[in-house]
Every structure is written in C-alpha cells, then in structure tokens.
Amino acid sequence: MRSISAAPMLALALAALFGGACTVADESTAACPEVVTADGVDVWTDERGCPVPPHEIFSRAGDSTCGWELVDEIVIGDLGAYHWDPVNLLAYVDQQVRNRTFRTADVIDDLTDSGWRRGDEVLWLDPTDERHVYLVRGDQTDRYLLDTEDAIICD
C-alpha cells in the first residue's frame, strides 16, 4: 500500500537528487530565492510573487494509478495534507465530503488570507479550525479537508 500523502518531502528530495526536478525562477522574481521542486508538484507563491519552498506548502494531483487525478492535494508544513475531491472518490476513508464549494462572500469574513497563491487562487485559513483550508478563486471558494489520520491510501 502507498499513501499519496506519506513522506512528501522525501519524494521531493529524491526527485531533486535523481532528476526530474526544476528550478523556479524568472526575470520578474529575480530578487526571490530559487526553489527546487519535483515534476508534478505545483509551486505556490507568496504575496510578492516569490516561490514558496515546498517544506512550507506544495500541491499536486491525486495518484493516477488509482484514478484520483481529479483529487487536489495541498500539503502544508507540519499541518498535513488537505484534499479537494470533486466527485467524492475518497469518501470511503471516513465518509467525509471533500467537495464543498461556497460563494466566497459567504465564508470570507471568518477566514484569514494565508499569503500563499497558486496562479489566480488564494489559500485562506480558518484560525479556529485547522481541519479545513479554503481555496478562493473569484466568487467561488472550495473547502479542503485535512487527512487527520494519514489514511488516504492508494493500493
């Protein structure tokens, strides 16, 4: 068995050592530190547009060997892996719904901007609830659920 959220930093380190890694930098972020990440891993940026090291935050699609390509996983430092599952493939783990979407105006008052961006998406946190993070795109907000037991497993 293999967990898609197990040892994410080991996978990044191995990819950097044995190839398949890329350096993120361009002229617009010349004052930013370089960040090395593995193929298939999304790089997040801070409010200045500088790449954020993957030990702080990274994301990736779910494991294709289990047909979970639609699942989006966001891994945040010591907090763990959060999942968005638009077709509820992962409900077998704990019967939790991982595909809740809200109008941004309905949730934004209770949330805090993390400062992290992925393209036109902004990650917002709930200071009173670490079980959820919120990905905001315009007037739509998706709620991601924390994998508290590291139980999202792909055989």
Side-chain angles (χ1 to χ4, degrees):
M1 267 198 258
R2 189 169 71 77
S3 169
I4 64 171
S5 60
M9 294 311 297
L10 177 61
L12 289 174
L14 290 174
L17 286 173
F18 297 109
C22 60
T23 301
V24 177
D26 64 25
E27 293 172 12
S28 65
T29 58
C32 299
E34 288 190 19
V35 172
V36 176
T37 186
D39 289 338
V41 174
D42 295 331
V43 175
W44 288 74
T45 58
D46 62 20
E47 292 169 319
R48 299 175 305 138
C50 291
V52 178
H55 69 271
E56 291 182 37
I57 185 172
F58 71 91
S59 57
R60 61 185 168 202
D63 196 317
S64 63
T65 59
C66 289
W68 296 348
E69 298 93 329
L70 294 177
V71 174
D72 188 29
E73 179 180 52
I74 299 174
V75 181
I76 302 174
D78 295 331
L79 293 178
Y82 293 82
H83 297 98
W84 163 254
D85 180 4
V87 292
N88 219 23
L89 292 168
L90 305 178
Y92 74 92
V93 174
D94 53 12
Q95 288 70 52
Q96 294 293 315
V97 175
R98 292 174 172 81
N99 59 0
R100 295 291 312 270
T101 298
F102 305 90
R103 286 183 40 236
T104 297
D106 293 337
V107 295
I108 211 73
D109 287 340
D110 298 327
L111 305 177
T112 303
D113 184 344
S114 69
W116 292 321
R117 275 91 174 111
R118 180 176 67 177
D120 64 347
E121 301 168 317
V122 180
L123 191 70
W124 288 68
L125 307 174
D126 184 338
T128 64
D129 178 13
E130 288 185 352
R131 286 184 34 94
H132 300 99
V133 296
Y134 299 81
L135 196 61
V136 176
R137 276 179 319 282
D139 64 353
Q140 177 177 315
T141 299
D142 297 331
R143 183 178 73 186
Y144 285 58
L145 179 65
L146 177 63
D147 181 11
T148 57
E149 304 296 323
D150 196 25
I152 305 300
I153 297 171
C154 176
D155 295 338

